[in-house]
Amino acid sequence: DWPAWAGLFTDDAEYIEHNLGHFSGQPAIHDWIVDAMAPFPNMTFSVDWHVIEGDRVAFYIWNHLPDPAGGDTWYSFPNISLIDYAGDGKWSREEDFYNPADANRAVGFWYRAGGSKETPENDDLVAPEDWAPLPRPPEHDRTEVEAAFHRYVERGRQAVETGDWETWSKQFVEDARYFEHHYGRFNGRSEIKDWIVGVMQPFPEMDFPTRWMGIDGNRVVFVAGNRLPDPTGGDTLYEFPACVVLHYAGDDQWSYEEDCYNPDEAPQVVMDWIAAGGQMPEGLVVPELEP
C-alpha cells in the first residue's frame, strides 16, 4: 500500500533520492513511489539501527528481494535514510543515501535468477551476518563522544591543509574496519592509511564540511559535503553529500567508519568545478561523463 505510505508526508514535503531524483510535494512523492515499487510487490525491508537527533531520524535500512528458487541466495542492498518529523504523524523530508551500483547488481542478479512479481515475498530476510560490526562496549558519555567527533572533524581539516592523511589515519584503532560504498572494505589501520593517502591525491583541496550530526551511544551518524573550493573565490558550491557512520572506541579512537553515497554524483561536480576554473593536479585526467 504505497499510496498510504506516501500519505505519511506533509503536502510540501521534500524527498531527495540521490539516484532517482528530487521530488517536491506529497503528490510528486506519491506518483514516484507508486511507480517505482510497482515491479517489486515482494520487496521487504529490515532496519539494522536508528539514531534520533531532535526531529531527525537516521536509520540503516535493507531492501530485500526473495530468492526465486526458495533458497537462501541473497538479493539485497542497504541504504541510509534521513527523515524529518513534522508532527501529527507526518514527515516533511526524506533523503536516501546508497550506491546505485549495489541496487542494480542485486536487482539484475534477481531478474536473471528468475525473479518476478509472482515470486513469493519472504518477511524473514535481514542483513547478512557480520555485514558491519556493532559499536564496541563500554558505552561512553555523549559529551565525550561529541568532543571526539569534533576532533575527528578537525583532523580532517588539518589533513586537507597539510596533505598529511597518514596522521589522520592514526585516530583509528589497529583493528578498525572501514567500509566505503564505492571503493570497498579496508581492514586494519594500515589498509585504511594506504587507501586514504592514495584516494586524496587527485583532489588535495577537497574538504568535508559537516552538514548534520546525530549521536546514539558510541555511534555517530553525520552528513558531510565532499566540497571543492570555488575557483573564483566566491561562494558557489561544488560538492556532493555522503552519509557517514562512525563507532567510537574510547581514548579518542574510532573502531569503524562507513561512507555511504552515490558516486555517480561526483563527475558532474568535478566537471562543473573545472569549467569554473578549477585545476586538476598535473598528469591527472577526469574521465568523460557518460551520456
Side-chain angles (χ1 to χ4, degrees):
D1 190 357
W2 289 104
W5 180 88
L8 297 173
F9 289 90
T10 60
D11 291 343
D12 60 349
E14 178 184 22
Y15 199 119
I16 302 171
E17 217 282 6
H18 283 280
N19 178 36
L20 300 176
H22 294 193
F23 308 95
S24 296
Q26 192 274 338
I29 295 170
H30 169 280
D31 293 347
W32 164 68
I33 195 65
V34 169
D35 182 64
M37 294 307 300
F40 310 108
N42 40 22
M43 180 175 279
T44 57
F45 306 88
S46 64
V47 175
D48 285 358
W49 51 258
H50 70 273
V51 173
I52 299 175
E53 191 73 39
D55 288 333
R56 173 163 288 176
V57 183
F59 59 102
Y60 201 96
I61 185 170
W62 285 85
N63 305 257
H64 301 290
L65 288 165
D67 184 351
D72 57 3
T73 303
W74 189 61
Y75 304 96
S76 306
F77 65 94
N79 66 267
I80 304 176
S81 291
L82 310 179
I83 51 177
D84 292 356
Y85 189 59
D88 296 325
K90 299 277 189 174
W91 304 89
S92 61
R93 185 179 186 274
E94 177 161 346
E95 185 170 7
D96 298 340
F97 295 88
Y98 64 100
N99 185 344
D102 296 331
N104 293 338
R105 187 180 305 112
V107 173
F109 286 158
W110 183 71
Y111 275 128
R112 287 192 287 275
S116 71
K117 290 182 178 182
E118 285 69 43
T119 304
E121 70 180 57
N122 183 350
D123 293 321
D124 296 327
L125 294 173
V126 294
E129 190 173 345
D130 199 37
W131 174 262
L134 294 172
R136 298 183 181 184
E139 185 172 311
H140 296 272
D141 181 78
R142 180 189 169 105
T143 301
E144 178 182 349
V145 177
E146 187 167 354
F149 171 70
H150 290 307
R151 288 191 292 272
Y152 166 95
V153 172
E154 174 59 20
R155 290 187 188 102
R157 189 196 66 77
Q158 291 176 0
V160 172
E161 187 175 288
T162 64
D164 180 13
W165 286 95
E166 182 172 351
T167 297
W168 177 89
S169 70
K170 292 178 180 178
Q171 65 188 315
F172 291 91
V173 297
E174 288 284 356
D175 61 343
R177 292 166 60 178
Y178 197 122
F179 177 29
E180 219 277 1
H181 278 244
H182 178 56
Y183 290 97
R185 295 181 183 271
F186 308 96
N187 295 311
R189 183 193 293 167
S190 178
E191 286 190 9
I192 294 170
K193 179 202 72 174
D194 291 345
W195 168 71
I196 194 67
V197 169
V199 80
M200 289 307 301
Q201 301 231 346
F203 300 104
E205 297 176 291
M206 180 176 280
D207 67 346
F208 308 93
T210 301
R211 301 305 186 193
W212 173 81
M213 178 268 294
I215 296 175
D216 182 28
N218 290 343
R219 178 178 282 125
V220 181
V221 185
F222 68 101
V223 177
N226 293 255
R227 180 178 66 181
L228 290 163
D230 185 343
T232 69
D235 56 4
T236 301
L237 279 180
Y238 299 93
E239 75 171 42
F240 61 94
C243 193
V244 181
V245 182
L246 285 170
H247 292 176
Y248 184 61
D251 297 325
D252 216 21
Q253 298 265 287
W254 303 90
S255 61
Y256 181 68
E257 178 164 338
E258 181 171 351
D259 302 342
C260 191
Y261 62 102
N262 180 0
D264 295 341
E265 292 184 310
Q268 188 63 60
V269 170
V270 173
M271 294 297 287
D272 290 345
W273 177 72
I274 291 173
Q279 298 293 317
M280 295 287 291
E282 188 174 350
L284 289 171
V285 178
V286 178
E288 292 185 6
L289 288 173
E290 295 183 3

